[in-house]
Amino acid sequence: MRFRLVSTILLIGTQFVAAQSQIENLKDSIVSQQLDEVIVTATRTERQLSSLPLPVTLVGKKQIIKSGTVRLNEILNEQTGIITVADESGFQGVQIQGIASDYILILIDGVPLVGRSAGNFDLSRLTVGNIKQIEVVKGPASSLYGSEALGGVINIITEKPQTEALSGNASYRIGSFTQQDINLDLKQAFKKFRYGFFVNRFSSNGYDLNEDVEGQTVNPFTNYTLNGRLYYDFNDKLSLFTSARYYDQNQDAGFTLDSIQYEGNTKEREWNTHARLDHKWTPNLTVAYELYYTNYMATELLADPISTNVLSDSDFNQKLFRPEVRGSYTFASENENNTGLQNGTLTAGMGIQLDELDRTYFDETVNFTSQYLYAQYNFNPIEKLNIIAGARFDNHSEYNNQFSPKLALRYQLNNNLSIKGSVGYGFKAPDFRQLYFDFTNSVVGYTVLGYNVALDKLQELVEQEQILSVLVTEDELDKPLEAESSIGYNLGFNLKHGRGNTEVNFFRNDFKNLIDTRIIARKINGQNVFSYMNFDEIYTTGFEINSSYKITDELNISAGYQLLYAFDKQKKQDVADNQVFVRDTESGQSVALSQSDYFGLVNRSRHNANFKVYYDIPSASTNVNMRVLYRSKYAQYDTNGNDLIDNYDTSFIDGFVTLNAAISKTFYKNLTLQVGANNLLDYTDNNIPTMPGIQGYLKLNYQF
């Protein structure tokens, strides 16, 4: 089934290319469609998507609306090479080019969001109700964005008001499990003043995938998002943008332990304030002055309602404040009037970032301080060649200074074919948890200590006579924990063929100094004490192909495929050296693993594919769409104790296909009725809490 689907998609892509000779005479090619596809995330300046030398995915508002998705994780999961992965808590993080959620930076209007669970950012916190477009930069982007952009950047761009008349929309969607999504979006523009206001309410009664286990798989929840944006143009050279966003969620919580049903709730609150003053000093020089503050809070309380004994009572409160100044200068070209070339655009910026976290499992509130500066030069040395060269320097209070360079090139071979390549350095700073965590599981009895507090806390455990043996020396815990880093390579081409477009990108990401847990001591109770260390070296490599074709003005189809290999370098070498064993279930003997038995990293699928059809029926004011998604098998954790994923492990999720579809009908020009369903093939798995079977919905939207 896997190979049939992949072969079908590739065959369709091949047919697109073959159809070129039959449609050369058609005027409305895909080129004209891309003229408005302007993005800012990849270069921090406005660039047309088709002209970029970097691998970028753009998801526009029309695609979001037609798909019927309501949260960010849903729409991203339908893009090639972007996988959403649920952790043990059911939170959905994102994986790009096989790189985990910990290393993907999430932005909204160019500024970062905070609040991660064990490094994982829950994308379902973000509604798509007022999004203009989503920009995804794949591969290292630390040369512009610093830490956490090691594997890529996702930037959510909200809509800017355009018309003087009050405009916007109001919508209501109800679906399976009493899932309700309500939106109100208002926008208006005057001569110098513009404003936008958006409110969203999202709720569900939850669902249960396993009746044999007490409680629900996903508990009932309700959340609200409010976003206000103000724009003021003082004159044609000076403009102000301000925004404020507030998010609040309450969710029931439950947990059964020793036949006792603990009950309670979890709460999340987040608010962001953002102000930016844009000043056009000269026709060639523009400077932006920016202030940004965000605060994310989460609490959890679980207690026995009868005895009032508390099982869990935790708090998480993270703050970030960041002032930044950046400018962009375009150099005039002597040949500009004759060739349309420019000598280039220089973009540079500097800023300070102040991070603070107050958490239950920390002894005290901890703070990070960092200063940074970056520069990037974008130029065309000859007519068909575009080069982007940039670098960033970060000075941090808790780890060694980081220098992050990047180089990208794009060459236009002819009107239909271009090639592009890039190489860049990415890094991720050790986070608060890895440095200051102090947690002991009250049920099992193990302990996890942050690297910076491990020595002192371990000594306390020794003095309390809880330690049986210490497995590391003092010197091993005395060196500073280094930032994780990677070098990413991308090489690809873009082919336009009549009404079609095909893009191929080969990638390789090499990581070193990855931070993972390590046993540093054994406790008298038989459990372990863990801390964090730099020791992992991994790589992800493969390729992606995206092909789209406009059969008629009304019918569009597209297909995408990713091949991914992701391995730990040391474990791969250990397997090659016959140093990794597994017990043969038939003979009962331990046998050495072969290289073909080593599957790769946790939660990575070898194959991912999608096929999409969008059909408009203008005479009936109707559009229909279908999206087929395929993910091949992957493993969730090691089950045979050899510390890697191999074909003998039993935690594999078999490959599966999901089918999403929606049909929309517009009445009286302003009122749209949409009926749709996700996961129409009714796929479920108790080990995937985000897959509860068929999810139908009905949506009404009024545009004014």
Side-chain angles (χ1 to χ4, degrees):
M1 180 176 171
R2 174 181 72 192
F3 293 108
R4 286 178 184 172
L5 182 62
V6 172
S7 299
T8 301
I9 291 174
L10 293 177
L11 177 60
I12 292 172
T14 304
Q15 290 174 338
F16 290 164
V17 178
Q20 178 182 358
S21 60
Q22 302 175 20
I23 56 179
E24 287 290 339
N25 59 334
L26 295 176
K27 303 288 186 180
D28 48 346
S29 71
I30 198 167
V31 180
S32 62
Q33 300 174 31
Q34 294 182 334
L35 293 178
D36 295 328
E37 293 182 340
V38 176
I39 73 166
V40 297
T41 309
T43 62
R44 288 213 169 188
T45 57
E46 291 189 352
R47 285 284 301 268
Q48 287 185 10
L49 176 64
S50 59
S51 72
L52 281 168
L54 302 166
V56 176
T57 296
L58 176 66
V59 185
K61 181 180 178 180
K62 289 183 179 179
Q63 182 179 346
I64 295 172
I65 293 174
K66 287 182 178 180
S67 68
T69 54
V70 294
R71 312 308 279 185
L72 183 61
N73 56 298
E74 297 174 342
I75 189 66
L76 286 180
N77 201 43
E78 296 187 353
Q79 312 310 312
T80 304
I82 303 175
I83 304 297
T84 58
V85 179
D87 64 11
E88 296 82 358
S89 304
F91 293 151
Q92 281 197 303
V94 65
Q95 188 185 107
I96 298 176
Q97 292 186 350
I99 304 171
S101 173
D102 311 46
Y103 309 102
I104 310 299
L105 182 63
I106 310 297
L107 307 174
I108 184 165
D109 288 324
V111 290
L113 296 172
V114 299
R116 293 173 178 258
S117 171
N120 185 44
F121 190 96
D122 182 17
L123 297 175
S124 65
R125 278 164 44 189
L126 301 171
T127 177
V128 299
N130 68 331
I131 290 179
K132 174 189 175 185
Q133 62 190 43
I134 303 165
E135 302 173 2
V136 182
V137 180
K138 299 179 178 179
S142 293
S143 62
L144 283 178
Y145 295 99
S147 180
E148 292 184 7
L150 179 150
V153 175
I154 298 173
N155 192 9
I156 303 154
I157 311 294
T158 56
E159 283 195 281
K160 185 177 182 179
Q162 300 293 338
T163 61
E164 290 190 10
L166 179 65
S167 62
N169 68 83
S171 66
Y172 174 75
R173 182 181 116 152
I174 186 167
S176 303
F177 317 113
T178 325
Q179 186 186 88
Q180 299 182 75
D181 185 77
I182 306 171
N183 287 317
L184 175 63
D185 188 24
L186 302 174
K187 300 182 292 290
Q188 193 169 14
F190 302 94
K191 290 183 178 179
K192 292 188 175 183
F193 174 72
R194 308 179 188 204
Y195 73 89
F197 176 76
F198 172 77
V199 60
N200 169 263
R201 181 187 185 275
F202 184 55
S203 63
S204 172
N205 285 346
Y207 52 82
D208 186 16
L209 296 179
N210 191 349
E211 296 181 356
D212 296 331
V213 177
E214 194 76 26
Q216 291 186 251
T217 304
V218 172
N219 290 306
F221 66 85
T222 301
N223 64 51
Y224 296 88
T225 301
L226 290 86
N227 179 223
R229 306 176 307 284
L230 300 176
Y231 308 79
Y232 188 78
D233 299 324
F234 295 96
N235 50 52
D236 58 355
K237 295 182 179 180
L238 190 65
S239 61
L240 175 69
F241 163 71
T242 62
S243 73
R245 174 179 169 272
Y246 177 75
Y247 172 81
D248 180 272
Q249 173 168 290
N250 284 274
Q251 183 171 24
D252 293 344
F255 185 78
T256 301
L257 178 65
D258 297 332
S259 301
I260 300 175
Q261 177 65 36
Y262 292 90
E263 299 177 358
N265 59 52
T266 62
K267 297 181 180 180
E268 293 181 83
R269 290 183 181 177
E270 175 186 15
W271 65 282
N272 328 102
T273 57
H274 182 198
R276 187 183 68 244
L277 188 67
D278 295 304
H279 190 183
K280 191 172 185 178
W281 287 90
T282 70
N284 292 351
L285 175 63
T286 301
V287 178
Y289 310 90
E290 188 172 69
L291 284 175
Y292 175 64
Y293 175 81
T294 184
N295 180 205
Y296 173 83
M297 295 167 285
T299 62
E300 180 183 71
L301 178 63
L302 284 171
D304 180 358
I306 299 176
S307 67
T308 69
N309 289 333
V310 175
L311 176 67
S312 173
D313 186 3
S314 63
D315 294 279
F316 184 102
N317 187 352
Q318 184 176 2
K319 301 174 183 178
L320 181 147
F321 175 67
R322 193 190 77 175
E324 180 177 295
V325 179
R326 62 180 176 272
S328 180
Y329 184 81
T330 301
F331 296 90
S333 171
E334 295 179 1
N335 299 322
E336 187 173 353
N337 294 331
N338 298 324
T339 66
L341 294 178
Q342 295 177 338
N343 279 346
T345 300
L346 176 64
T347 302
M350 60 186 300
I352 301 173
Q353 188 157 302
L354 307 173
D355 294 88
E356 177 182 293
L357 179 59
D358 183 11
R359 188 175 182 182
T360 300
Y361 303 114
F362 292 178
D363 284 346
E364 58 186 6
T365 301
V366 293
N367 299 275
F368 288 169
T369 304
S370 62
Q371 304 84 33
Y372 60 88
L373 57 91
Y374 59 87
Q376 175 183 268
Y377 189 46
N378 175 11
F379 65 106
N380 291 63
I382 59 176
E383 183 178 0
K384 295 184 177 182
L385 177 63
N386 176 237
I387 299 176
I388 297 177
R392 172 169 164 145
F393 178 79
D394 285 82
N395 175 47
H396 198 279
S397 61
E398 298 297 326
Y399 61 89
N400 294 332
N401 298 337
Q402 296 292 311
F403 179 71
S404 309
K406 186 163 190 172
L407 178 66
L409 304 92
R410 178 182 181 275
Y411 186 76
Q412 189 74 39
L413 291 170
N414 53 50
N415 291 335
N416 296 319
L417 180 63
S418 62
I419 59 174
K420 58 186 179 180
S422 64
V423 57
Y425 174 87
F427 79 95
K428 179 183 178 295
D431 61 32
F432 290 109
R433 170 180 52 93
Q434 293 164 340
L435 294 177
Y436 296 102
F437 206 44
D438 181 10
F439 171 76
T440 298
N441 185 285
S442 59
V443 178
V444 181
Y446 65 85
T447 296
V448 184
L449 301 174
Y451 186 85
N452 283 9
V453 299
L455 271 176
D456 292 339
K457 296 296 180 181
L458 186 58
Q459 183 59 38
E460 290 179 13
L461 293 174
V462 171
E463 293 172 357
Q464 296 167 7
E465 299 183 349
Q466 295 189 41
I467 299 300
L468 179 65
S469 61
V470 177
L471 306 180
V472 296
T473 65
E474 184 173 325
D475 289 342
E476 290 180 90
L477 294 175
D478 200 32
K479 301 175 184 178
L481 200 61
E482 296 185 34
E484 301 171 290
S485 63
S486 77
I487 298 179
Y489 309 87
N490 288 273
L491 178 64
F493 66 86
N494 184 274
L495 175 66
K496 301 185 178 92
H497 36 91
R499 287 191 170 197
N501 188 75
T502 297
E503 186 168 6
V504 177
N505 184 63
F506 296 87
F507 60 87
R508 166 91 182 200
N509 298 284
D510 284 282
F511 298 79
K512 68 177 183 178
N513 291 327
L514 288 194
I515 300 171
D516 206 343
T517 54
R518 175 186 176 183
I519 300 172
I520 63 172
R522 303 199 185 278
K523 303 176 76 172
I524 293 176
N525 64 3
Q527 296 298 318
N528 297 318
V529 179
F530 299 89
S531 189
Y532 297 90
M533 298 284 182
N534 292 111
F535 56 84
D536 282 347
E537 292 189 0
I538 69 169
Y539 71 89
T540 70
T541 189
F543 75 89
E544 296 173 0
I545 179 171
N546 279 290
S547 193
S548 61
Y549 184 60
K550 189 175 183 179
I551 297 178
T552 67
D553 289 342
E554 293 78 29
L555 180 60
N556 291 269
I557 62 175
S558 66
Y561 169 74
Q562 181 193 68
L563 174 68
L564 173 68
Y565 293 93
F567 294 102
D568 183 300
K569 294 181 180 180
Q570 185 58 54
K571 289 182 172 57
K572 190 173 183 180
Q573 186 60 49
D574 291 342
V575 172
D577 295 338
N578 295 318
Q579 298 297 313
V580 182
F581 298 88
V582 66
R583 184 172 293 277
D584 188 292
T585 55
E586 295 183 1
S587 66
Q589 301 295 317
S590 291
V591 296
L593 283 182
S594 66
Q595 292 200 44
S596 61
D597 289 326
Y598 180 28
F599 187 81
L601 299 181
V602 169
N603 260 331
R604 271 72 170 187
S605 295
R606 186 82 71 240
H607 309 279
N608 291 282
N610 62 72
F611 178 72
K612 305 173 187 177
V613 179
Y614 293 92
Y615 183 53
D616 292 317
I617 312 174
S619 60
S621 300
T622 300
N623 67 74
V624 181
N625 68 82
M626 178 188 70
R627 296 98 62 204
V628 182
L629 313 175
Y630 170 71
R631 182 176 184 184
S632 67
K633 74 171 186 176
Y634 62 96
Q636 295 187 311
Y637 50 87
D638 170 43
T639 59
N640 52 31
N642 57 13
D643 199 30
L644 54 74
I645 300 300
D646 58 64
N647 291 327
Y648 295 91
D649 283 307
T650 58
S651 67
F652 278 98
I653 303 294
D654 291 332
F656 59 90
V657 175
T658 54
L659 171 62
N660 304 332
I663 179 171
S664 302
K665 165 72 175 176
T666 300
F667 302 90
Y668 310 111
K669 295 184 179 180
N670 295 325
L671 182 64
T672 300
L673 171 66
Q674 184 178 62
V675 180
N678 295 330
N679 196 12
L680 274 166
L681 301 180
D682 199 22
Y683 175 80
T684 61
D685 191 308
N686 291 341
N687 295 307
I688 310 178
T690 55
M691 298 285 287
I694 298 175
Q695 302 166 65
Y697 61 86
L698 177 71
K699 179 179 179 179
L700 281 172
N701 183 80
Y702 180 71
Q703 189 83 27
F704 54 89

